[in-house]
Amino acid sequence: MLHDLFPPGVQHALDLAGIFVFATAGALLAVRKNFDVFGIAVLALVTALGGGLFRDLVIGAVPPAAFGELSFFVTPLIAAAIVFFLHPEVQRINRAINVFDAAGLALFSVTGTTKAYEYGLGLTASAALGLATAVGGGVLRDVLVNEVPSLLRDREMYAVPAMVGASMVAVFIGFDVLNALTTGLAIVTTFVLRLLAMRYHLRAPLAWNRRSAVAEEP
């Protein structure tokens, strides 16, 4: 199904771009946490490949793409090396990195849902696994650095846009209208929602009758 939507070369390039951006974000966090070079590389790999690895193991796509395609494994290491030597310069373009991260989130939520459906999962399960593909690496990254995962404390709606994109793909599949145009629509919708969340600091609702002014638990 994925190959019907995009040529293999385009799909591969998009995957590598998403992996590179996620790895850069993970490596930058490792630098801020004062990790050594090994810790930087590990956090880059986990952030970039964790969601896809989880998806592939769940659907039985073994060996996972992260291990079957050398470029998927090398790309995070390249990003880690760039951040290791040039992290002040990379940090200065952090806003641009966030924009690319939003693009990676959109792409992975859509392709993750589609791949899960290809392997026989139902529409709801496919959408859930698409969400896991998009945010799974970030959850593992946050756990490794001893922070509350952004998935659970979504200050700027990170998981919600991915959920919207994955759900749109599931609906399109259900109505048999998934094609390059509708796939692009799901990707753009997810991307724009994430950008709006960053721009206006949008977040999911807190518990009922709990005002946002109340201090959060550490």
Side-chain angles (χ1 to χ4, degrees):
M1 184 179 292
L2 284 175
H3 296 305
D4 295 335
L5 298 175
F6 300 106
V10 173
Q11 177 65 39
H12 187 68
L14 291 173
D15 285 341
L16 290 180
I19 287 172
F20 182 85
V21 172
F22 279 173
T24 301
L28 283 172
L29 178 59
V31 170
R32 289 196 290 269
K33 294 290 184 178
N34 291 320
F35 285 12
D36 62 18
V37 62
F38 182 75
I40 293 171
V42 168
L43 214 59
L45 284 164
V46 166
T47 307
L49 304 178
L53 182 62
F54 174 77
R55 175 203 63 210
D56 289 348
L57 291 176
V58 169
I59 63 179
V62 291
F67 295 99
E69 176 62 55
L70 182 61
S71 60
F72 287 174
F73 194 79
V74 172
T75 298
L77 297 180
I78 294 174
I82 293 173
V83 171
F84 179 78
F85 289 107
L86 302 173
H87 61 87
E89 287 75 14
V90 175
Q91 189 67 51
R92 291 191 191 101
I93 61 169
N94 194 50
R95 179 171 296 182
I97 293 294
N98 287 336
V99 172
F100 285 112
D101 180 82
L105 180 81
L107 175 68
F108 282 11
S109 64
V110 168
T111 58
T113 303
T114 306
K115 186 171 182 178
Y117 184 77
E118 282 183 327
Y119 276 78
L121 270 66
L123 295 177
T124 301
S126 295
L129 209 51
L131 172 63
T133 304
V135 305
V139 170
L140 291 174
R141 174 200 64 204
D142 293 342
V143 169
L144 287 175
V145 300
N146 198 30
E147 291 187 356
V148 176
S150 57
L151 179 67
L152 304 180
R153 186 176 287 185
D154 211 355
R155 287 189 177 91
E156 290 182 346
M157 284 208 315
Y158 193 81
V160 171
M163 189 183 304
V164 170
S167 299
M168 289 178 66
V169 173
V171 170
F172 292 150
I173 293 174
F175 285 96
D176 197 25
V177 293
L178 186 68
N179 52 45
L181 180 62
T182 54
T183 299
L185 176 62
I187 292 174
V188 170
T189 300
T190 305
F191 178 64
V192 170
L193 284 176
R194 175 59 182 154
L195 291 183
L196 289 174
M198 290 190 295
R199 174 66 177 83
Y200 296 105
H201 304 290
L202 304 178
R203 65 175 300 169
L206 298 174
W208 184 253
N209 283 337
R210 181 177 174 86
R211 297 186 300 274
S212 59
V214 178
E216 294 182 358
E217 295 292 333

